[in-house]
Amino acid sequence: MGILYAVATPIGNLEDITLRALRILKEVDLIAAEDTRKTRKLLSYYDIHTPLTSYYGREKKADYLIDALNRGKNIAIVSEAGTPGISDPGYPLIKKAVEKGINVQSIPGPCAAVCALVVSGLPTDGFIFAGFLPRKKGKLTKRLKELFNLEKTVILYESPNRIVATLEMVKENFGEVNVVIARELTKKFEEVIRGSIDRVLTLLKGSEIKGEVIILLHK
Ligand code: SAM
């Protein structure tokens, strides 16, 4: 039986990859990538020529990869950025592999949520990673209520065009909250905005928000 390696890759800066990750990407029989275009760029930067196939969560493709693992092939799964399995299609494949008794190994590296937490200045001794929140207002409010009840730092992934609406929901339901917005981490336009929810909303409303963002909240 082959090994499934969950290999963390950069979230922006191509230098953010471990020596072990590069070796594994070189040595495996196949790399299953969420975004082959992005992964190809990374591989060519490091002169790696391992065969690449696309995997973005489809069950049929997961079955094909499990079959290859069962036939002794070593496979690396990589997501578009960061750690596979964290709010991306890595999870269904990893779950299936675990169920089939396949050896799954983590090759650690960047994860946007952790990068954002450490620069936020918010408490790091207890935090909740909640990924992308539900879109519907009722479900969103319910989820936020559950998260704030835990009295921990809450980490959310969000799209830049929904960030103001999400923060307005937070303000409407929970009043004063400390907010940190981590944008384009490890990239040229990296920015971290910290402050009360009112301050952050005023800043965000006065500018166009571009790129990848994370919201961190602490009540
Ligand atoms: N698996 C990835 C990880 O380990 O971080 C996360 C994948 S998830 C589909 C993508 C989300 O991660 C984006 O919408 C954004 O919220 C966050 N993200 C990824 N890269 C980022 C970056 N460089 N700066 C800020 N947020 C980022």
Side-chain angles (χ1 to χ4, degrees):
M1 233 186 228
I3 298 172
L4 177 63
Y5 296 97
V7 180
T9 55
I11 58 166
N13 189 322
L14 289 184
E15 291 176 2
D16 293 332
I17 188 157
T18 68
L19 297 174
R20 184 168 173 231
L22 292 174
R23 179 176 60 74
I24 296 289
L25 291 176
K26 249 185 219 146
E27 288 177 3
V28 289
D29 299 295
L30 185 65
I31 299 171
E34 179 186 6
D35 181 336
T36 47
R37 199 176 49 88
K38 260 203 154 170
T39 303
R40 205 161 270 132
K41 204 170 140 200
L42 176 74
L43 297 182
S44 88
Y45 187 81
Y46 286 103
D47 199 23
I48 295 171
H49 303 280
T50 308
L52 199 59
T53 187
S54 91
Y55 169 68
Y56 45 88
R58 282 188 58 204
E59 179 144 13
K60 239 178 145 179
K61 192 61 181 269
D63 290 340
Y64 165 83
L65 294 169
I66 295 288
D67 186 51
L69 285 156
N70 275 325
R71 284 185 284 107
K73 301 286 180 205
N74 291 323
I75 296 178
I77 177 172
V78 298
S79 49
E80 189 190 331
T83 299
I86 306 300
S87 291
D88 63 35
Y91 174 66
L93 177 64
I94 291 167
K95 179 170 177 271
K96 212 169 241 220
V98 169
E99 283 166 4
K100 302 281 178 197
I102 289 163
N103 184 355
V104 182
Q105 291 185 18
S106 184
I107 309 298
C111 174
V114 176
C115 291
L117 177 67
V118 296
V119 294
S120 70
L122 297 175
T124 56
D125 56 344
F127 59 91
I128 307 288
F129 170 69
F132 292 98
L133 287 179
R135 297 246 163 141
K136 291 212 168 116
K137 212 173 169 178
K139 279 191 179 165
L140 174 61
T141 314
K142 185 170 170 270
R143 185 80 182 107
L144 283 169
K145 236 176 230 161
E146 289 163 4
L147 294 168
F148 281 135
N149 276 342
L150 301 167
E151 296 181 3
K152 310 246 186 267
T153 298
V154 175
I155 309 172
L156 306 173
Y157 285 164
E158 187 55 285
S159 82
N161 52 9
R162 293 186 47 81
I163 197 165
V164 168
T166 301
L167 288 180
E168 276 176 340
M169 280 286 281
V170 171
K171 188 181 162 190
E172 194 182 307
N173 287 281
F174 307 99
E176 194 42 63
V177 173
N178 284 320
V179 178
V180 177
I181 304 298
R183 193 176 75 82
E184 294 286 272
L185 292 171
T186 78
K187 302 187 199 177
K188 189 173 173 191
F189 297 107
E190 172 166 344
E191 179 182 31
V192 182
I193 304 170
R194 304 176 182 86
S196 67
I197 196 156
D198 286 328
R199 176 178 187 271
V200 172
L201 270 170
T202 307
L203 288 171
L204 292 181
K205 280 179 181 170
S207 62
E208 194 190 350
I209 308 145
K210 282 190 189 156
E212 302 205 82
V213 289
I214 295 179
I215 304 177
L216 300 101
L217 305 166
H218 190 263
K219 186 105 176 88

